[in-house]
Amino acid sequence: MKQQLKLVLVFSFFLFCGESKAQLDTLNYIKQFEINKANYIGKPFSKLLTDMTKIQPKTVWPQPRGRYKNEIKGSFFNFCEKEFSFHNVINLYVEWQEILPRDQVKFYETKNHFFFTNDEKTYYSTKIIKDIKVTRW
C-alpha cells in the first residue's frame, strides 16, 4: 500500500510539473504578442492569428461594454480546453477598435458553445485591434 501511495505521489508531482511548464511556455509565448502589440494595433485580427504559429485560441469569451450589455468592447481568447476555462487560465484580451453588436457575437456563442472554430476565425479576422493584454484568471 505504501508503494502505491508513493507511486501516486510521484506521478502527481510529475504531472503537476508538466502542466506548470506547459502553462509557463504558453504564457511566455502569448506574452510576446502583448510586448509587440504595436505590430497589431490598428490592424485586423487576422494578422495576429497568422503570427500565432505555435498555438491558437481554443475558446473565445466576449466582454460587454460596462452597463451596455448589447455592446461588446473586447474578447478574451483562452488557450486551454473549455472545461478548464476558469481555473488559472492564460487569456489574450483583445479590445476592438469598434464596438461589436452583441447579437452577432451571441450567434457564434450559441452555435459553437464558445469554442474558437473557423466560424469565429472568419468573423473576428476582419475586426480591428485597439489594444492587447495578457491576463490570467
Side-chain angles (χ1 to χ4, degrees), residues 51-110:
D51 290 352
M52 286 185 178
T53 56
K54 291 185 183 178
I55 187 171
Q56 290 282 303
K58 296 194 180 192
T59 60
V60 57
W61 304 85
Q63 177 65 39
R65 189 173 75 114
R67 63 183 175 182
Y68 301 101
K69 302 294 181 197
N70 291 328
E71 300 177 351
I72 304 301
K73 73 172 188 170
S75 303
F76 287 97
F77 295 89
N78 292 356
F79 298 87
C80 67
E81 298 303 322
K82 185 178 173 185
E83 57 268 15
F84 302 111
S85 292
F86 301 102
H87 305 286
N88 199 22
V89 175
I90 299 159
N91 300 289
L92 177 70
Y93 176 72
V94 176
E95 186 175 347
W96 305 112
Q97 190 77 38
E98 294 185 18
I99 301 298
L100 306 181
R102 174 74 174 132
D103 59 343
Q104 288 179 8
V105 174
K106 181 108 176 127
F107 171 78
Y108 293 107
E109 285 176 18
T110 304

